Amino acid sequence: MSDCLFCRIIRREIPASIVYEDDRVLAFNDINPQAPLHALVIPKRHIERLTDLTPQDDAAIGELARRAAAIAREKGYADGGFRTVFNTNADAGQTVFHVHLHLLAGRRLGWPPG
Ligand code: 5GP
Ligand code: ZN
């Protein structure tokens, strides 16, 4: 989807602070971080939201989770703890309609979330 913000980041049309990239996954720092570590881990394939997933996306979504944990580990937050979140649609505050896994760490994260 050409006008999608995150597809444009994947194509390097918009700059981002990239923390990981491979053929299928990109991770970059959130522009408005809510914790000392706040990265977004996205599939390179454009999928709008979690409710659009099909079985062919299972591997991609699994990779997002595995990669988020690897980044948390690499940044020194795996043992202390981290949070991973998919916001879906309006009530959850989804603003960018390209599936993204938020990875937050580095401070005590309250539960339940706001
Ligand atoms: P959502 O609210 O859809 O769950 O999360 C979208 C996230 O994308 C927000 O945390 C927001 O700060 C982040 N974001 C929005 N625009 C940009 C941008 O241009 N670059 C980066 N790195 N993050 C962005
Ligand atoms: Zn996209």
Side-chain angles (χ1 to χ4, degrees):
M1 209 204 209
S2 58
D3 61 349
C4 164
L5 177 65
F6 288 173
C7 284
R8 296 188 67 195
I9 287 176
I10 291 165
R11 295 197 301 266
R12 305 296 203 275
E13 292 170 9
I14 293 173
S17 166
I18 291 170
V19 297
Y20 178 82
E21 180 167 28
D22 65 25
D23 289 350
R24 297 169 305 278
V25 173
L26 184 71
F28 51 94
N29 290 313
D30 196 292
I31 205 168
N32 182 24
Q34 301 302 310
L37 171 62
H38 186 177
L40 301 171
V41 189
I42 69 172
K44 286 194 169 174
R45 203 169 109 73
H46 179 86
I47 305 165
E48 287 195 6
R49 62 198 110 209
L50 238 49
T51 47
D52 296 323
L53 294 177
T54 68
Q56 88 174 92
D57 302 314
D58 287 0
I61 298 302
E63 286 191 47
L64 300 189
R66 191 166 53 81
R67 184 52 50 192
I71 294 167
R73 167 80 58 202
E74 189 182 293
K75 304 280 184 193
Y77 295 115
D79 294 337
F82 59 91
R83 180 162 297 159
T84 41
V85 177
F86 290 107
N87 291 324
T88 300
N89 288 338
D91 280 357
Q94 185 177 6
T95 58
V96 178
F97 288 86
H98 180 130
V99 163
H100 48 282
L101 183 57
H102 291 262
L103 166 62
L104 298 126
R107 66 170 173 85
R108 184 83 192 170
L109 297 161
W111 193 264

